[in-house]
Amino acid sequence: MNSAELKAKLKEEAERSAKNAKRRKAVQEYSRKQQKISEQTKKQMPPQSPARKRREQEMKRQAELELKEKKRRRKRGSNVVYYVALTFILVGIFAVLSVTVLFNIEQIIVVGDSIYSEEQIIAASGLEGNENLVRLNLSGTAEKILDKLVELDSVRVDKTYPSAVTITVERSVPMANFWFGGKNYVISHTGRVMRIGDEEESVMRVIGYEPEDSVIVGAFVKAKDEEQDRLIQEISEAVEKGGLTESITTVNIADPIGIKMSYEDRVEIFLGSILQIDEKIKMINELIDKHIAETEFVTLDVSDVSRAIQRPITTSGAATLPPETEESVETDENGDPIPSEDSPESSDTTGQVTDR
């Protein structure tokens, strides 16, 4: 670019700057005129009435409130999104921590009555003590303990948050025993086989019971005839309720309508059927307590709850001796025998009947 062109360009820029300055000055003067006119117009306007002024102020205040409410709604909407996102994040963090750091087992608690030690029960459960409670699956754990510890009747395993597992156990209590295949089987109140041995144990012996062939320790025994299981259960419950658990030595259920029992191997009892078993056990208890001496060997027939028959066998022999005679003796309202005119009150009675 030569000097002539440079001078021409500088001149153009100077002229453009002058025009812009002139335009800005014109705009400023116009604005001042408009402001002056507006102020003059306001001065010429009549003053507003108080009612109109209050109305305009109320409209202005309402507009401001609406504007604030819009802003608040926009802010609330953005806060909801924020809180929802934060909740999802926190839930995710808690879920991860729950299966990794939180709720890890710190203690295994064993409660209940058992012949086994806590260490044996915990070992049978298969729990190692370092599992996470959330991820831990306890299904089958109770059955595993029952399979290994045969002298337990029931086991319950629960999660105890935040950091423990509780094992509740109930020991097996012998209810009865029976001979089968040359072996003696001891069963608990739930019908579980506790022991199999060669010697009879001091619990109620069941005669006439025929179990299924597959009888193993720890299994729940079942009879070939399901009625026999029901008979044993109901008789055992009635005997326990009547307080005769330790006194009833044998129960013969070979004939379900001719059930027989033995009390301390000296009182033979004809029970009949299982009907009214509670009343029959109560009657046996009362007769033995009030009318049978500890040295007597007698038979009782309580198959009819309205009429109990007592027949002496002997005062010194075995309970298996046959009865000699049978007589019926009237009783008073308390069930005590009433002496007849032909026999004195002090004489021995060969038989007595108690009306109930």
Side-chain angles (χ1 to χ4, degrees):
M1 180 183 295
N2 53 29
S3 58
E5 291 176 350
L6 181 59
K7 288 180 180 180
K9 190 172 182 179
L10 291 173
K11 185 177 180 181
E12 288 178 2
E13 291 180 357
E15 291 176 353
R16 189 181 301 112
S17 298
K19 288 181 180 179
N20 290 336
K22 187 175 181 180
R23 189 180 297 112
R24 281 195 299 272
K25 185 176 181 182
V27 170
Q28 290 175 356
E29 289 189 4
Y30 179 78
S31 298
R32 282 196 296 271
K33 289 180 180 179
Q34 290 296 326
Q35 185 177 2
K36 189 175 181 180
I37 292 172
S38 177
E39 290 176 355
Q40 291 176 353
T41 302
K42 286 182 179 180
K43 290 179 180 179
Q44 293 175 359
M45 290 177 63
Q48 292 182 345
S49 64
R52 181 177 179 182
K53 188 174 182 179
R54 285 195 300 271
R55 189 164 53 252
E56 288 182 353
Q57 289 177 350
E58 183 64 29
M59 292 175 63
K60 183 179 180 181
R61 186 164 50 253
Q62 189 66 29
E64 290 176 352
L65 291 175
E66 291 179 359
L67 181 60
K68 288 181 180 179
E69 183 62 25
K70 289 180 181 179
K71 290 181 179 179
R72 187 161 49 249
R73 282 199 296 268
R74 284 197 298 268
K75 186 177 181 181
R76 187 185 304 163
S78 61
N79 288 342
V80 169
V81 175
Y82 169 77
Y83 289 133
V84 170
L86 181 61
T87 301
F88 276 111
I89 293 172
L90 292 176
V91 170
I93 294 173
F94 182 76
V96 173
L97 292 176
S98 295
V99 297
T100 54
V101 179
L102 302 176
F103 306 124
N104 289 330
I105 297 177
E106 297 178 0
Q107 187 180 15
I108 300 177
I109 305 170
V110 178
V111 296
D113 184 22
S114 170
I115 66 170
Y116 302 103
S117 65
E118 291 187 6
E119 292 75 13
Q120 288 176 303
I121 296 173
I122 293 172
S125 70
L127 298 173
E128 298 179 358
N130 56 0
E131 298 91 342
N132 181 271
L133 281 180
V134 177
R135 291 186 285 114
L136 180 62
N137 183 9
L138 292 178
S139 61
T141 304
E143 289 75 12
K144 189 186 300 183
I145 297 173
L146 283 172
D147 290 341
K148 294 180 180 179
L149 306 180
V150 296
E151 294 204 20
L152 292 177
D153 261 352
S154 68
V155 176
R156 190 179 74 247
V157 185
D158 301 307
K159 297 179 181 180
T160 307
Y161 287 94
S163 59
V165 171
T166 302
I167 303 176
T168 305
V169 299
E170 181 182 345
R171 71 182 301 173
S172 297
V173 178
M175 176 187 70
N177 70 120
F178 63 89
W179 285 91
F180 176 71
K183 295 289 184 181
N184 186 54
Y185 294 79
V186 180
I187 59 176
S188 69
H189 281 76
T190 60
R192 192 176 190 210
V193 179
M194 298 173 58
R195 293 181 292 277
I196 301 177
D198 297 322
E199 297 182 0
E200 187 173 336
E201 300 196 19
S202 58
V203 291
M204 183 176 68
R205 179 162 62 93
V206 180
I207 301 172
Y209 184 77
E210 296 184 15
E212 293 179 341
D213 295 336
S214 57
V215 181
I216 60 175
V217 175
F220 290 90
V221 67
K222 290 184 179 180
K224 291 180 180 179
D225 182 3
E226 295 181 358
E227 180 68 14
Q228 289 190 333
D229 290 324
R230 186 181 71 85
L231 288 177
I232 293 178
Q233 188 66 33
E234 292 191 17
I235 292 173
S236 176
E237 290 177 356
V239 166
E240 184 177 3
K241 188 188 299 182
L244 299 177
T245 303
E246 298 180 359
S247 302
I248 299 299
T249 52
T250 62
V251 175
N252 190 329
I253 60 171
D255 182 2
I257 61 173
I259 302 171
K260 299 177 182 179
M261 299 191 334
S262 174
Y263 178 91
E264 295 181 353
D265 290 330
R266 64 183 181 85
V267 180
E268 291 185 348
I269 304 166
F270 182 71
L271 202 65
S273 69
I274 199 70
L275 296 176
Q276 296 178 292
I277 181 65
D278 290 334
E279 289 81 354
K280 292 176 181 179
I281 295 297
K282 183 179 179 181
M283 184 185 298
I284 293 168
N285 216 349
E286 291 178 355
L287 287 173
I288 292 175
D289 184 52
K290 295 180 180 179
H291 303 293
I292 301 176
E294 294 182 358
T295 57
E296 283 189 294
F297 289 78
V298 300
T299 62
L300 290 178
D301 186 345
V302 293
S303 57
D304 184 356
V305 294
S306 65
R307 185 178 181 83
I309 301 175
Q310 174 182 325
R311 294 174 296 184
I313 296 176
T314 178
T315 57
S316 59
T320 56
L321 293 177
E324 296 177 355
T325 60
E326 177 181 343
E327 293 183 7
S328 296
V329 178
E330 295 183 358
T331 59
D332 58 20
E333 59 182 6
N334 297 320
D336 296 326
I338 301 175
S340 63
E341 296 180 357
D342 298 333
S343 60
E345 184 176 352
S346 59
S347 64
D348 292 337
T349 304
T350 58
Q352 64 181 11
V353 178
T354 303
D355 294 330
R356 301 190 59 86

